[in-house]
Every structure is written in structure tokens, then in C-alpha cells.
Amino acid sequence: MRVAINLLTENPEAPSGAHWCWTRVVPEMAKRLEYDEELHLLVSPRSRHLYPADGPNVFHITYPWSNERRIPRTVSEHVYTPVRLPLSHIDIFATLMAPIVRVPRSVVMHMKTMHAFTTPDSITPLVRAYRRMSYPRSVRVADAIVVNSESLRSEVEHYLNVDARKLRLVYEAIDHDLFKPGDADAARARVASYGVTRPFALFVSTLWPYKNCDGLLRAWALAGEELAGRQLVVVGRGDADYVAGLRSLAIDLGIAADVLFTGGIPLEDTVPFYQAADVLVYPSFNETFGLPILEAMACGCPVVTSDTSSMPEVAAGAAILSNPKEPASIARAIVDALGAGRDQLRDKGIRRAGEFTWGAMAASTLDVYREVAEHRRHRRAI
């Protein structure tokens, strides 16, 4: 079995969470390969260093571009792939989108989001149109479709004409070497350099409207005296106009002095924020997974999140849920999380986060590839 994994959708100048995931999962898969199994990583000259070929059965296939040049990269994926993969005798192509030109190989589609349908304003019109055009064709030609939550499975089935028998659930994971409990006093000293001066509640996410930071601000204002003496720390970057609107809303609500916007920070720098925070509040309207929930839990930070889409599934009783459409519900949940049951909530979260490991994700992903490879061998034998 030879599997080609498409890693070209990452911009090497600004790697995303997907890059972080693959750099951890590929080495774990490499440990589990049988003697006749190989992984071939699709990289560009500029992204090759991000994905070392760890292990004797891991190789590179070099394309001209990755996502630092999105349009040439996309074109090359569609027209070069059907020519290039047969040269390496690839059996399975693991990718986000199936090429327009038919690939004479089995395709495993890794679905990460359905934002083009569920939260269309969170992506640009060109990307939205491309995904809406490509997803129906991709799910039709794919031999298997990997989804990261039952919630995403439901969305795929709702918006796309898909054979449900193709869908395979593989939960994502977090890096437990990075995200773990730590000394709270040391963590508070580290986050002080960002302007954190008081006990605080934390929000971590890219600042898109569907992440509902404005709802959190309204909830903070409603909680009033019950949160007196605390800061609300917002970690994440976003569209300049939207962030300016959030700052204006904080002023209008009379809470600007209590709200700190740090902007975007490196992933590893979020760890002391989780370790020092009294609670993470993640009131998103829609998530296909919601990694910050598990990152916070793994660091020993209690979590308040939404009662919709994947968030109850990920939290699994280890977080306090609220209605993201009702600031009063979010406010009550924050106050409850800071109450007498905080330590119990913290312990539940640590146990829940411990279930999501790179090893488990790698093993489940390999199982999907092996299943598809077996079906491919069976078809060829007929």
C-alpha cells in the first residue's frame, strides 16, 4: 500500500493548525507501517522542510508550489496529480479535494469543515465558490471520506448528495507534550507581559463572527458584579474591521477596561494562558471539532462552550454548556464554572482531553487507508 498525502494546501510562510496536525500524525503513522506500506508526502520546495520524511517508509513527492501561491498550487493539484502519482505507483491519494482530471487511484477525502455552507461569510467569495463547486464532485469520486466529528458527518449528509457508507469518523487530537497542566503562578507571570494583570476568563480563536466573541462581550456585561475584579482576555487575530467592531462594542457595553485583546500569538504561547485562566469560554455558533476546548482541558482549565454542533460531542460532559444565541445563558455558565464545582470540572476536562492522542488518530487514519487499499486490491482481482 502506497499512500500519497496532499500537504500542498499549507502556506509555509504561515502554517495553520492543519500543518501542526500532520507533522504529529505522520510520524505516528510511520511507526505503525507494515513492511509493504509507504507514505508519500506531497510538498513544494518551500514547504518540504515542514514535513521531514521520518522513517524508512516515508518519502517526498515534490510539486512546484504549495499555498504560498494558491492559484498555481490549485491548478497543479488538478492537472499534475493524475500524471505524477502513477510514476510513484501510488495506490491511495489522501486529499481535501479530488482533482478535476480523474486520478487512476483510490481517493480518500479528508473533510475538515463545511464552512462554505454553514458559515459562508467566514471565507472569501472565491474560496467559497471553489469549495461549493468541488465538494459534490469530490464526495462522489472518493472511496472514503474522513470526518472529524459526528456533527460534521451530519452536515456533510445534509448539504451534499453523499453515500453515507463512505463516511469514516476519525477524531482529531492535541499535543499532550505541549498542552498539559502547569504551575499557575509561573503561567500568570508569563501572560503578564501581554497586559494580563488580574484573574481572567479566556477566549481563544480566530476572530470570525461565527465564533461569537460579540456574544461573549454581551454576556460579560450582563454578569456584571459577579465577575468584578476579573479580566476577559481575547486571544486571536481576525479581520481588522470586525476586531474594531468588537472593541467598539466593549466600549458601548461599558466593559472596555476589563477586556484585553492580545491579537494573534503562536500556538505554543497559548499554553500559559490556558494554565493561568480561571475558565475558557468558547461560545461559537458552529464548529466541526473545536480544538481549543481540548487544549484548555488538557491544561487544567475549566471550559464553558456551546450546546450546538460538535461542541457537546467533544466536551462529553466535561464542560458547562450554554446557548450561544443567548448572552444571558453564556453569563450564567461562566459564573457556574467559577463556582464550587470548578475543581471537579477541571478534573473531568483533564480526563476527557487525555482520550485524544496523535497515536489514536494515526491508527484510525491508517485503518481507513488499509480498508480502501483492500477494496482496491479486491476490485483489481475481479
Side-chain angles (χ1 to χ4, degrees), residues 7-16 19 43-51 64-70 73:
L7 303 174
L8 301 170
T9 53
E10 283 298 304
N11 181 351
E13 298 171 1
S16 72
H19 154 259
V43 296
S44 71
R46 297 183 66 176
S47 70
R48 186 185 181 103
H49 71 282
L50 297 175
Y51 306 100
W65 305 284
S66 47
N67 220 34
E68 76 280 356
R69 297 189 63 189
R70 177 177 290 176
R73 181 271 299 173

Side-chain angles (χ1 to χ4, degrees), residues 34-341:
E34 303 292 341
Y35 75 94
D36 59 347
E37 296 176 336
E38 297 177 357
L39 299 179
H40 294 251
L41 312 180
L42 271 59
V43 296
S44 71
R46 297 183 66 176
S47 70
R48 186 185 181 103
H49 71 282
L50 297 175
Y51 306 100
D54 293 324
N57 288 14
V58 182
F59 308 91
H60 288 123
I61 296 177
T62 303
Y63 276 51
W65 305 284
S66 47
N67 220 34
E68 76 280 356
R69 297 189 63 189
R70 177 177 290 176
I71 293 178
R73 181 271 299 173
T74 303
V75 172
S76 70
E77 282 180 330
H78 285 292
V79 300
Y80 183 48
T81 296
V83 177
R84 180 61 185 86
L85 296 192
L87 297 178
S88 295
H89 306 287
I90 298 300
D91 301 304
I92 297 169
F93 183 38
T95 186
L96 293 176
M97 302 284 189
I100 294 174
V101 180
R102 191 178 186 282
V103 182
R105 299 292 180 267
S106 298
V107 173
V108 174
M109 185 181 178
H110 285 265
M111 291 284 289
K112 295 294 185 181
T113 77
M114 285 292 289
H115 290 333
F117 297 90
T118 59
T119 55
D121 292 340
S122 67
I123 53 181
T124 65
L126 181 62
V127 172
R128 181 168 65 245
Y130 172 68
R131 291 182 182 178
R132 286 190 170 188
M133 176 185 69
S134 298
Y135 279 160
R137 185 196 73 258
S138 295
V139 300
R140 185 172 63 252
V141 304
D143 295 83
I145 303 162
V146 175
V147 295
N148 58 10
S149 67
E150 292 291 355
S151 176
L152 180 57
R153 184 201 297 268
S154 297
E155 290 178 355
V156 171
E157 291 178 343
H158 177 74
Y159 288 103
L160 302 175
N161 182 20
V162 61
D163 182 349
R165 294 173 296 179
K166 294 182 178 182
L167 298 172
R168 300 291 183 273
L169 174 63
V170 177
Y171 282 124
E172 295 187 23
I174 58 171
D175 191 334
H176 291 277
D177 291 332
L178 179 63
F179 296 103
K180 56 188 176 183
D183 182 85
D185 289 335
R188 280 190 284 270
R190 290 180 62 185
V191 302
S193 63
Y194 285 90
V196 182
T197 58
R198 290 177 265 158
F200 66 98
L202 178 66
F203 172 95
V204 176
S205 182
T206 305
L207 294 173
W208 291 105
Y210 78 90
K211 297 291 188 176
N212 196 28
C213 186
D214 54 321
L216 173 55
L217 294 178
R218 297 181 192 280
W220 194 266
L222 285 175
E225 294 181 0
E226 293 177 284
L227 297 176
R230 285 187 169 87
Q231 286 178 287
L232 172 61
V233 178
V234 177
V235 175
R237 65 172 57 87
D239 175 77
D241 290 339
Y242 179 64
V243 175
L246 291 175
R247 292 179 181 273
S248 295
L249 177 60
I251 293 171
D252 293 342
L253 293 170
I255 60 172
D258 297 326
V259 181
L260 172 65
F261 293 89
T262 69
I265 65 175
L267 182 65
E268 57 270 20
D269 287 354
T270 63
V271 174
F273 280 94
Y274 289 133
Q275 293 172 339
D278 291 336
V279 60
L280 172 80
V281 190
Y282 198 74
S284 178
F285 290 122
N286 181 278
E287 295 291 326
T288 56
F289 195 72
L291 279 173
I293 296 171
L294 294 177
E295 292 169 355
M297 288 179 174
C299 291
C301 180
V303 173
V304 167
T305 190
S306 301
D307 61 1
T308 187
S309 69
S310 69
M311 289 164 280
E313 179 183 348
V314 172
I320 295 180
L321 304 181
S322 62
N323 184 343
K325 297 179 181 179
E326 296 182 4
S329 176
I330 301 171
R332 286 193 302 272
I334 296 171
V335 173
D336 288 346
L338 297 172

